[in-house]
Amino acid sequence: MGRIFNRTMGLNSLGKALRRARLAGLVLVACLGLANPQPGRASDHADPTNLTDPTANITDLFFYPDGDDMILIFDVNRALLAPKPYDLAPYDYEIHMDLTTPVSFQDPVIRARYGGTVLVPDQIHPDVTIKVKLQDDVTVNTITYTGLKDTDKIKTYFGVRDDPFVFPRFFKKNVIAMVMRIPKSAFPADQHDFILWGTTAKDGTEIDHVGRSIRTQLPRFGFINTMPPKDQLKALMARKAKLDNIYNYLHSAKEWWAIAAADFLQFTLQLRPYDLQPDVMVYTDRFPVGYPNGRLLTDDVVAQTCAFGDCLLQEISFIEGPYPRATMNDKPFSAEWPYLAPQWPDQTPAPSNAHSVLPWVILGVIVLLLVSWGIVEIIRRLVRHLLRWWWRRIDA
């Protein structure tokens, strides 16, 4: 009886353990197949993954001096060809400026990448906010200024213009442009340094963010795209530590495929040491204007960013554009207000992609689940059979 009892208990325990293992395996496969820990959203132009809401997509932020004024240009809705009207009423377009958080220009490497070093990034805050709501015909609905003087002297333009980004994919395309000529008297006296960023929100929920051009177009920065700048450095440091651990673990493995996975992670998502800066634009009048010190319309930011380590868009511009690579906009800019080139003619938009890969993804997940279940079930039955055979030998 003792043997029978022990054998029964052993088989039951084994069965429970195998059932738990099978369940864990199924959960793991489901998580690997279905989980999407990072939304496929990124700001600016040529993000490798598409925004689901193009009207909210920020394409450009420009800021540069012109005489006694500062020119601010904020563009949204990339690859625009459709005629008016657009569905703009639900959106808030905001430009923020921090005029008081100190910026250092001592480190030449950081200055070359970011325009300067924000000394206390967790204290970044908006001293100035410009909030724009547009009508569906791209005329202004409301515009409010917080933190600025002489707002009656600010000149504004809202309309559809040529996309100013020097990048072949967006040649002969338009954007919705918001252009402002802000007198320097609107800012505090002797204001030298500016920290800027822009956001879009729909029905009060922030959707997109822009700071330094191209920054959040890169896949590794998608997770900070709806995060206030003051919170970004802490999040970047935490993400970098986590991904570094994963990379080191995979890269130290003996299997070739683990090393290959580590190399892919390093290229696409692993944060670089120079990434630990908040995503903001820095401008100062202490140095000549031009990316990354503010941004001029004529700046070839793709090439300038590549010179300091981020060449994804540079490669795409070679792949999609003719050789030699374009280094100027497809239309000349104007010396007259509002500076951006005239829009391209309206066109009937190309039909949306007609097919979806989701059914194939679901089918693949189902197949993986069935195969995983089958393997676990075979192992369970085999082990159970072997144990029964073993117990029969003991009983004999």
Side-chain angles (χ1 to χ4, degrees):
M1 286 296 293
R3 288 183 177 179
I4 295 174
F5 178 80
N6 290 336
R7 179 174 64 184
T8 303
M9 289 296 292
L11 289 173
N12 289 338
S13 299
L14 176 65
K16 290 180 180 179
L18 287 173
R19 282 193 294 271
R20 291 192 188 102
R22 179 171 57 185
L23 178 60
L26 293 176
V27 171
L28 176 61
V29 171
C31 290
L32 291 175
L34 297 177
N36 184 20
Q38 179 175 315
R41 296 186 175 190
S43 78
D44 307 343
H45 267 95
D47 20 22
T49 51
N50 287 325
L51 277 169
T52 57
D53 192 347
T55 311
N57 177 218
I58 303 169
T59 63
D60 297 295
L61 178 62
F62 297 90
F63 192 68
Y64 59 91
D66 185 15
D68 292 330
D69 302 317
M70 297 300 300
I71 306 302
L72 175 67
I73 302 175
F74 188 62
D75 298 330
V76 298
N77 201 328
R78 65 179 184 180
L80 179 62
L81 290 172
K84 304 170 188 176
Y86 313 114
D87 183 24
L88 300 177
Y91 297 92
D92 297 326
Y93 302 108
E94 296 187 2
I95 303 98
H96 307 280
M97 304 182 194
D98 183 339
L99 308 180
T100 53
T101 298
V103 181
S104 170
F105 305 98
Q106 298 301 311
D107 189 326
V109 176
I110 294 181
R111 187 161 70 85
R113 282 199 176 98
Y114 299 106
T117 305
V118 181
L119 294 179
V120 279
D122 60 343
Q123 295 181 21
I124 296 174
H125 62 281
D127 294 308
V128 171
T129 296
I130 302 172
K131 181 176 180 179
V132 177
K133 292 187 73 70
L134 297 175
Q135 307 272 20
D136 291 348
D137 62 354
V138 200
T139 57
V140 67
N141 182 356
T142 61
I143 181 169
T144 57
Y145 304 101
T146 303
L148 290 176
K149 301 177 293 182
D150 296 336
T151 56
D152 57 316
K153 298 178 182 178
I154 298 176
K155 186 177 183 179
T156 60
Y157 168 88
F158 305 96
V160 178
R161 307 292 287 193
D162 163 68
D163 189 325
F165 188 31
V166 182
F167 197 71
R169 184 180 297 183
F170 301 104
F171 287 170
K172 298 186 178 180
K173 305 280 195 319
N174 298 316
V175 292
I176 295 173
M178 292 163 259
V179 186
M180 303 174 198
R181 189 176 187 96
I182 307 174
K184 292 180 180 179
S185 63
F187 301 102
D190 299 323
Q191 183 69 42
H192 297 287
D193 306 328
F194 298 76
I195 301 171
L196 302 94
W197 68 99
T199 61
T200 57
K202 183 177 183 181
D203 299 325
T205 300
E206 186 173 323
I207 297 176
D208 206 6
H209 169 100
V210 66
R212 194 207 71 175
S213 300
I214 296 182
R215 182 85 185 274
T216 46
Q217 288 177 244
L218 303 170
R220 64 186 188 271
F221 292 117
F223 71 101
I224 64 169
N225 198 44
T226 56
M227 191 178 294
K230 67 182 181 65
D231 299 330
Q232 291 177 359
L233 179 58
K234 183 178 180 180
L236 286 165
M237 294 174 67
R239 177 64 65 95
K240 185 177 187 304
K242 181 184 297 185
L243 292 178
D244 284 353
N245 288 337
I246 296 172
Y247 171 81
N248 291 332
Y249 177 77
L250 292 173
H251 204 263
S252 62
K254 63 182 180 180
E255 292 84 4
W256 68 267
W257 50 266
I259 297 173
D263 291 339
F264 181 77
L265 173 67
Q266 182 185 51
F267 179 75
T268 55
L269 296 178
Q270 190 178 19
L271 293 169
R272 287 63 158 149
Y274 51 81
D275 287 341
L276 301 180
Q277 299 289 328
D279 184 23
V280 293
M281 174 187 286
V282 172
Y283 168 73
T284 180
D285 62 8
R286 305 172 195 273
F287 302 102
V289 65
Y291 182 87
N293 182 32
R295 184 180 171 189
L296 296 167
L297 286 170
T298 52
D299 285 336
D300 182 7
V301 294
V302 170
Q304 291 167 276
T305 303
C306 182
F308 290 95
D310 289 316
C311 295
L312 176 60
L313 269 67
Q314 177 90 310
E315 291 188 32
I316 294 174
S317 68
F318 276 108
I319 294 168
E320 297 186 352
Y323 184 84
R325 177 186 163 272
T327 58
M328 296 186 298
N329 192 40
D330 53 341
K331 275 188 178 183
F333 298 115
S334 173
E336 306 296 328
W337 178 261
Y339 312 117
L340 296 169
Q343 77 172 90
W344 294 92
D346 293 332
Q347 301 178 31
T348 301
S352 300
N353 293 345
H355 68 275
S356 172
V357 299
L358 185 59
W360 292 103
V361 173
I362 294 173
L363 177 61
V365 170
I366 292 173
V367 170
L368 282 173
L369 292 174
L370 290 174
V371 170
S372 301
W373 174 84
I375 292 172
V376 172
E377 187 66 20
I378 290 171
I379 294 173
R380 186 185 69 83
R381 290 175 182 271
L382 180 61
V383 172
R384 192 180 184 93
H385 176 75
L386 289 173
L387 285 174
R388 284 175 175 170
W389 173 79
W390 177 258
W391 286 118
R392 282 198 297 268
R393 286 194 60 183
I394 292 175
D395 289 342

